[in-house]
Amino acid sequence: MSKRHALIFISLTLMLIGIFLASLTLGAGSLKIGQVISHIIHPGISSMEGDIIWKLRLPRIILALLVGAGLAVSGAVLQGMLRNPLAEPYTIGISGASAFGVSLGIVLGVGTSLLPVFSAGAAIITMSLVYIIACRKRFSASSIILGGVILSFFFSSCVRLIFSLAKTEKVHSAILWLMGDLSCADPILIKIISFIILGAIALLTIFSRDINILTLGEEKATYLGINIEFLNKLLFITCSIIIGAAVAASGIISFVGLIIPHLMRYLGGADYRFLIPASALAGAIFLTLCDTLARTVILPLEFPVGVITGIIGGVFFLIYLFLSKTKKVF
Amino acid sequence: MNSLEIKNIVFGYHKEEVLKNISFSVRRGDFLGIVGPNGAGKTTVFKLISKLLKPWSGEILYNGTNLNNISLQKLARSVAVIPQILETPFSFTVEEFVSMGRFPHLGRFQSLKKQDYKIVEEALLLADVSHLKFHRLSELSGGERQRVILAQGFTQTPQLFLLDEPTAHLDITHQVGILDLIKRLNKQNGLTVIVVLHDLNLASEYCDKVILLKDGKIFKAGSPWQVFTFNNIEEVYKTTVVVKENPISSKPYCFLVSEEEKQRR
């Protein structure tokens, strides 16, 4: 590991601790940093502050950390695997699919607690479809993008069809979900999500050197001894699982998977042994920051977090493009 | 001893046959050139012997073993392949990029050792790109980039080097520079080289043996003087040429003749 990479990791870790504590103190009913720390050290004490920290804020922050890390890592991996700078979790068709699943659920009148199931179900069906399309074409990068983009368009048309048929108030709640929401942080959900996302990130880290080679193109990677079909399938399935879990837990949160890997690549280079853990940390920081803003800026109301990530991410990415005009973005 | 033996291979894309019963062998230490017009099957031969494609029938033996029985990783430990088009979309540094050539020699949980770094250093030195070690690939010129790509091939510590059009889009300085470098490795280290070339004169100058392909068949194989006769070239390329001896190297040299000149005669 180079000095530069070490420096980046140390800064990211400090930022992560900072945003974690800040996010615990901020919100409706501000707490002091000392209170927060003492409640974390002594979890048994039951008080109102303790309940706010342990039952409301902490689960939500942990969910934000996990989803942010998962989205950023899967974005980084998909960009390398598909060798496309615009690849992100939703390029492979998941966004359209879960939007469709949720819209369908709302129109059928199922309860909000069942919506994640509809979302995940639709995501899994889409992944399988993209997978089948890609398998027929030797599982190459272009067939995955093609399949994903086509299904994306198809499902977004289906969503509009459903919206045009459904009642207005139902459409409203569907739209809120589509904008991303971390408020349904249920302890069991968090346990499942953390198991899936952390496991998947660990697996991708093991294959980071293979991803480096894959960025040279599928032909050259074969000449360096990589079984392309196997690696593409492994990466695609692992990323899909991360995305499926993230979407089921929090709706559609855009931009994290796009900007975080680009920023990390700009700071520390393209080596995936660096890029995967750095993107995980930075994605976790970014989404927690955005969610803290989303629930504190217009108290007592809340923004959907996807709106914040979209606005901050969009502005940030534009600045980055302007500043880096002499260097290649990719 | 034969390094590579190609026996009666037939191959095609979809239902159309591209290669029709091709056989040849390459001995250890050979410098073989494959030439022919566009669409004659040069790159297809290249992809078959580097195991990217599988022949419909026939077999390819590498050091006496059928390619089907050698894993991609094992093959990559002794065969380096430089394809015509190589994507370098990410901002890797030259050192990171060149070290990737060690990949086939490493186990999943192994990282580069002292000895691997030594091989990388030597490859950088050999390709004359040591001074670019910490530059990003996007900052290099076309000629430097090609040298870096070769350096990556050297770190694989190959016995057989396969190159598809290594001099395409380069100026004459770099064309000669790249081929001189490969020739030096061929002479000094006994590296076996198979190179696909478009430029007949470069092929004539550097290769000991040449295979001239036409419509998926070997039209003529042999030394440059046996292959590059005006009869052979005119029949394969349907173009009028004059073949003379290069006064320095005594190798055949093909001169092209324009339509205007032909009519003046």
Side-chain angles (χ1 to χ4, degrees):
Chain A
M1 190 162 61
S2 71
K3 251 185 195 166
R4 189 187 180 87
H5 289 170
L7 198 68
I8 294 173
F9 279 125
I10 291 168
S11 330
L12 286 175
T13 310
L14 291 177
M15 282 165 74
L16 187 72
I17 296 167
I19 189 72
F20 178 78
L21 291 176
S23 186
L24 276 177
T25 55
L26 294 172
S30 240
L31 302 171
K32 292 211 172 56
I33 190 95
Q35 281 177 299
V36 168
I37 292 172
S38 75
H39 274 287
I40 292 177
I41 296 168
H42 311 287
I45 301 166
S46 90
S47 64
M48 213 193 41
E49 288 83 18
D51 280 356
I52 289 176
I53 290 171
W54 284 96
K55 291 194 178 142
L56 287 175
R57 289 190 190 158
L58 197 62
R60 187 166 172 161
I61 292 168
I62 290 173
L63 189 63
L65 293 171
L66 288 168
V67 169
L71 290 176
V73 168
S74 57
V77 171
L78 287 171
Q79 284 158 19
M81 171 192 172
L82 305 177
R83 292 172 298 289
N84 185 324
L86 288 177
E88 68 141 352
Y90 303 117
T91 318
I92 57 175
I94 313 284
S95 143
S98 23
F100 173 71
V102 170
S103 313
L104 193 69
I106 288 170
V107 167
L108 293 176
V110 302
T112 33
S113 56
L114 268 178
L115 289 182
V117 179
F118 271 73
S119 156
I124 289 165
I125 292 169
T126 317
M127 288 169 214
S128 320
L129 278 174
V130 176
Y131 185 90
I132 291 165
I133 294 171
C135 273
R136 291 184 61 86
K137 309 258 178 200
R138 290 189 68 228
F139 222 85
S140 67
S142 55
S143 55
I144 296 169
I145 295 186
L146 200 63
V149 169
I150 290 169
L151 286 172
S152 244
F153 282 130
F154 172 75
F155 281 121
S156 72
S157 300
C158 292
V159 167
R160 266 171 274 165
L161 177 71
I162 288 175
F163 279 5
S164 64
L165 298 174
K167 285 182 189 153
T168 325
E169 67 269 19
K170 286 185 172 173
V171 171
H172 184 73
S173 58
I175 286 175
L176 274 182
W177 165 268
L178 292 182
M179 287 189 289
D181 186 6
L182 288 161
S183 58
C184 51
D186 169 270
I188 299 165
L189 183 77
I190 286 178
K191 269 181 202 154
I192 298 170
I193 299 280
S194 58
F195 182 72
I196 293 174
I197 288 184
L198 295 179
I201 291 177
L203 183 67
L204 291 171
T205 311
I206 292 174
F207 279 87
S208 52
R209 199 160 49 198
D210 302 56
I211 307 174
N212 282 343
I213 307 282
L214 195 54
T215 62
L216 304 181
E218 292 178 1
E219 187 182 348
K220 183 70 191 185
T222 307
Y223 297 149
L224 284 168
I226 283 184
N227 182 337
I228 291 297
E229 277 194 69
F230 168 77
L231 183 62
N232 273 349
K233 282 177 186 172
L234 179 108
L235 297 179
F236 176 76
I237 292 171
T238 314
C239 285
S240 299
I241 289 171
I242 295 180
I243 299 162
V247 170
S250 59
I252 290 168
I253 296 172
S254 56
F255 258 120
V256 181
L258 189 62
I259 57 163
I260 297 298
H262 277 287
L263 180 66
M264 290 302 114
R265 198 177 287 121
Y266 178 75
L267 292 175
D271 189 338
Y272 272 82
R273 284 168 293 178
F274 156 78
L275 202 55
I276 288 178
S279 295
L281 283 173
I285 293 167
F286 179 70
L287 193 58
T288 312
L289 175 72
C290 287
D291 189 48
T292 310
L293 290 175
R295 62 184 173 78
T296 53
V297 168
I298 48 159
L299 279 172
L301 294 175
E302 270 188 27
F303 286 119
V305 66
V307 174
I308 305 273
T309 59
I311 290 171
I312 295 183
V315 171
F316 181 85
F317 207 55
L318 276 178
I319 294 171
Y320 163 65
L321 279 177
F322 273 118
L323 289 180
S324 64
K325 69 182 165 195
T326 49
K327 282 195 179 178
K328 282 193 180 169
V329 177
F330 203 45
Chain B
M1 187 190 165
N2 282 340
S3 167
L4 199 66
E5 238 180 297
I6 285 91
K7 288 184 185 166
N8 309 102
I9 49 170
V10 176
F11 178 81
Y13 299 100
H14 308 293
K15 280 188 178 146
E16 204 183 335
E17 266 187 24
V18 177
L19 296 181
K20 300 151 188 165
N21 202 2
I22 285 195
S23 302
F24 62 91
S25 58
V26 184
R27 278 182 312 184
R28 215 169 256 183
D30 274 357
F31 197 121
L32 173 77
I34 300 177
V35 296
N38 291 333
K42 298 188 296 290
T43 299
T44 308
V45 170
F46 180 85
K47 287 181 176 170
L48 283 164
I49 53 188
S50 52
K51 217 190 165 187
L52 189 72
L53 302 173
K54 255 194 183 143
W56 285 359
S57 66
E59 55 177 8
I60 302 171
L61 305 181
Y62 175 65
N63 288 338
T65 313
N66 194 317
L67 270 196
N68 294 336
N69 302 329
I70 307 175
S71 74
L72 283 171
Q73 192 187 17
K74 208 169 165 210
L75 194 67
R77 286 179 198 156
S78 68
V79 181
V81 186
I82 312 292
Q84 212 177 106
I85 299 161
L86 184 54
E87 292 176 58
T88 44
F90 288 82
S91 34
F92 281 112
T93 65
V94 168
E95 192 192 21
E96 285 168 343
F97 178 79
V98 171
S99 324
M100 287 182 195
R102 293 306 295 160
F103 178 80
H105 297 272
L106 299 173
R108 165 126 338 267
F109 296 100
Q110 270 179 337
S111 52
L112 292 176
K113 290 187 207 62
K114 229 181 194 172
Q115 176 210 351
D116 296 302
Y117 283 111
K118 214 180 128 206
I119 292 170
V120 171
E121 289 296 326
E122 282 167 6
L124 288 168
L125 210 61
L126 199 60
D128 194 22
V129 287
S130 293
H131 58 291
L132 300 170
K133 202 170 157 184
F134 300 113
H135 287 238
R136 294 202 176 184
L137 290 182
S138 49
E139 300 163 6
L140 305 183
S141 74
E144 288 169 338
R145 194 168 162 271
Q146 196 64 14
R147 284 179 171 277
V148 166
I149 289 171
L150 288 183
Q152 191 195 55
F154 299 155
T155 57
Q156 280 173 260
T157 54
Q159 292 165 10
L160 174 61
F161 216 76
L162 302 174
L163 305 106
D164 192 357
E165 298 271 5
T167 55
H169 314 300
L170 295 181
D171 60 29
I172 51 170
T173 320
H174 287 104
Q175 287 186 1
V176 170
I178 297 276
L179 287 169
D180 277 342
L181 172 60
I182 297 165
K183 188 80 186 175
R184 207 169 76 221
L185 285 168
N186 169 252
K187 286 271 173 268
Q188 288 174 0
N189 305 4
L191 182 71
T192 314
V193 177
I194 302 177
V195 56
V196 172
L197 282 171
H198 235 38
D199 189 320
L200 300 181
N201 293 320
L202 282 176
S204 166
E205 193 66 25
Y206 286 95
C207 302
D208 307 322
K209 282 186 189 168
V210 180
I211 288 176
L212 177 60
L213 288 178
K214 188 196 178 208
D215 302 327
K217 288 183 201 147
I218 294 181
F219 183 83
K220 182 83 188 166
S223 71
W225 275 112
Q226 288 170 325
V227 174
F228 294 129
T229 64
F230 80 92
N231 278 327
N232 288 342
I233 296 173
E234 287 183 1
E235 192 170 341
V236 170
Y237 286 88
K238 310 280 180 237
T239 306
T240 312
V241 293
V242 176
V243 178
K244 293 274 183 204
E245 187 180 306
N246 179 331
I248 309 288
S249 66
S250 310
K251 296 277 175 64
Y253 193 96
C254 309
F255 294 91
L256 303 175
V257 186
S258 72
E259 186 63 36
E260 196 187 353
E261 286 294 336
K262 266 190 273 179
Q263 280 175 358
R264 276 219 314 218
R265 302 259 163 167

